[in-house]
Amino acid sequence: MRKRTKGILLATTGASFWGTSGVAVQYLFGETTVSEFWLVGLRLLGAGTLLLILARVTGRSSTKALFSNRHDVLQLILFAFFGMGMSQLTYFAAVKYSNAPTATVIQYLAPVFIISYTAIVQKMLPRRIDMISIIVALIGTFLLVTNGQLNHLALSPQACFWALLAALANAISTMAPGKLFDRYGTLNVTAWSMLICGIFFIPLYFVMPMPILKPIDVALIGWIIIGGTLLAYTLYLASVQYVDPSTTGMLGAFEPLVATILAVALLHTYFGPVNVLASLLIILATFMQMIPVEIFSRQQSAH
């Protein structure tokens, strides 16, 4: 198998597993009394532990080095709570108040927040392509929230709030690690951030009621932890060894695609033509961010 083909398969499979995870979350919220706090804490604890074991087995764990630098430890803790934990909790809440496809698509607004933040900090206007992508993303969001009707909201205020907060949290999660990934490895930092934040949820299990779960519910929770987190992360991260990061990022679009197909087919979630158009616009806006700067510069000089 060619390296590029292998990388594409790894990236699409990892992104698809994330998509199935969102649908499993939607099912659990609709069919059980599981709360977002209960489920997120369990996912962080379980996946964090398994990812850390994997990091050590594969020789990618730099535990001693990571915890020997106070500044890096502080950055890791901040990333754990305001990046990893916040993105997980807000996404699960967005799924709860809307559905998996909608919550997953709106997460793709993260680049809008990153571009805006960068422009403010650097005190300079974004590239023209960035401005165009923001406009496209906002149009897509408007269509998704209103379903094209100016006098009607297709999503509840809670769904809009948590979905937009999930996009912001996703942006923070992208920027917060800084150089931690370069110094200690993405897998190692991701594992520790999940575990650290998951430990914070432990006291809540002494006050939250234990939900009544059927075998299928337990199986889905296991899949969210193992398939939708452990395997999804490792497959997606492994893909960058064979294809460039921009290609991997584009293939991440399989997450909302799979989430939409499964939610519509298995959970009978309504996702009409306007929803599809809105989703495509938001994802297109993300793809625009992957246009190399040098290509855009050449295009500008040609006009």
Side-chain angles (χ1 to χ4, degrees):
M1 183 183 296
R2 295 173 56 189
K3 286 187 175 181
R4 181 173 176 79
T5 303
K6 185 174 183 179
I8 290 173
L9 287 174
L10 287 170
T12 53
T13 303
S16 298
F17 282 0
W18 271 323
T20 63
S21 175
V23 177
V25 170
Q26 180 181 336
Y27 174 85
L28 289 170
F29 285 151
E31 301 296 328
T32 72
T33 58
V34 166
S35 73
E36 57 269 39
F37 292 94
W38 190 91
L39 191 55
V40 168
L42 200 62
R43 182 188 195 185
L44 290 171
L45 283 169
T49 301
L50 292 174
L51 284 172
L52 191 59
I53 292 172
L54 179 64
R56 293 188 67 86
V57 169
T58 57
R60 298 178 184 176
S61 179
S62 303
T63 305
K64 186 175 181 181
L66 176 58
F67 287 94
S68 62
N69 186 307
R70 290 184 179 180
H71 178 268
D72 288 346
V73 171
L74 177 60
Q75 190 173 358
L76 174 65
I77 293 173
L78 290 175
F79 170 57
F81 288 102
F82 297 102
M84 183 63 68
M86 184 178 173
S87 63
Q88 298 283 327
L89 184 59
T90 53
Y91 172 70
F92 276 36
V95 172
K96 179 178 181 179
Y97 291 107
S98 58
N99 53 63
T102 300
T104 304
V105 166
I106 292 181
Q107 273 197 126
Y108 273 69
L109 288 173
V112 174
F113 291 103
I114 295 174
I115 293 168
S116 302
Y117 173 80
T118 303
I120 293 172
V121 171
Q122 296 182 353
K123 297 180 181 179
M124 59 185 296
L125 291 175
R127 297 179 304 162
R128 186 185 302 173
I129 191 67
D130 293 333
M131 296 297 295
I132 295 173
S133 69
I134 289 176
I135 294 172
V136 171
L138 291 178
I139 293 173
T141 304
F142 171 79
L143 291 175
L144 200 59
V145 170
T146 65
N147 202 26
Q149 301 178 21
L150 293 175
N151 60 346
H152 174 72
L153 283 178
L155 300 178
S156 67
Q158 296 99 320
C160 294
F161 172 78
W162 286 111
L164 290 173
L165 196 58
L168 175 60
N170 199 20
I172 294 173
S173 184
T174 301
M175 298 183 293
K179 296 187 179 299
L180 288 180
F181 286 161
D182 295 333
R183 293 174 184 166
Y184 308 107
T186 304
L187 185 60
N188 189 40
V189 174
T190 299
W192 276 111
S193 62
M194 282 187 170
L195 187 59
I196 290 171
C197 190
I199 291 172
F200 176 79
F201 281 83
I202 290 178
L204 296 179
Y205 290 99
F206 293 97
V207 295
M208 288 188 296
M210 177 66 184
I212 300 174
L213 302 172
K214 301 190 290 275
I216 187 174
D217 303 330
V218 176
L220 287 175
I221 292 172
W223 174 253
I224 291 170
I225 295 172
I226 298 174
T229 309
L230 174 66
L231 293 178
Y233 267 106
T234 52
L235 290 172
Y236 199 72
L237 292 176
S239 68
V240 298
Q241 300 176 35
Y242 306 100
V243 293
D244 57 274
S246 62
T247 301
T248 302
M250 290 184 192
L251 294 173
F254 272 80
E255 180 185 0
L257 175 63
V258 170
T260 300
I261 292 173
L262 292 181
V264 172
L266 301 179
L267 304 182
H268 308 294
T269 301
Y270 175 77
F271 212 73
V274 176
N275 303 99
V276 173
L277 175 61
S279 301
L280 291 175
L281 288 174
I282 293 174
I283 294 172
L284 174 62
T286 301
F287 285 174
M288 288 181 181
Q289 303 307 308
M290 299 170 189
I291 296 178
V293 176
E294 60 271 16
I295 292 178
F296 180 68
S297 298
R298 288 198 298 269
Q299 289 176 339
Q300 278 191 316
S301 63
H303 290 287

